[in-house]
Amino acid sequence: MGPFEIAAIAIIGGLGYAAYETHMKTKGKACKADIEALQAEIAKLKERVGTLESIVTDKSYQLKEQINKL
């Protein structure tokens, strides 16, 4: 194995490693954006559930339900 072959292997290895690093950095950023979007959606859903709970536990709502059952 000559010096040119060793140099070529080193260059190819370096390029492969750089490509792998770039891939991992990009993958991490995409996941962070997805996580932030999901957290925002969860916050909105929690607000909606809180509103629904306040409606259902309201005494006038319960009274209307009892009247409707009669």
Side-chain angles (χ1 to χ4, degrees):
M1 189 178 268
F4 294 112
E5 293 165 340
I6 293 173
I9 291 172
I11 291 171
I12 292 171
L15 290 174
Y17 180 73
Y20 176 74
E21 274 188 339
T22 304
H23 170 72
M24 293 306 289
K25 287 179 183 177
T26 305
K27 181 180 176 184
K29 289 180 183 176
C31 289
K32 288 180 184 177
D34 290 341
I35 289 170
E36 290 174 0
L38 290 173
Q39 287 175 340
E41 186 175 354
I42 288 171
K44 288 179 186 177
L45 290 172
K46 284 183 180 181
E47 285 182 36
R48 291 179 67 188
V49 167
T51 303
L52 291 172
E53 285 176 346
S54 66
I55 291 171
V56 171
T57 57
D58 187 26
K59 291 186 180 195
S60 64
Y61 178 80
Q62 292 174 357
L63 180 61
K64 288 178 189 176
E65 285 296 312
Q66 289 176 355
I67 291 171
N68 289 336
K69 286 181 182 178
L70 294 175

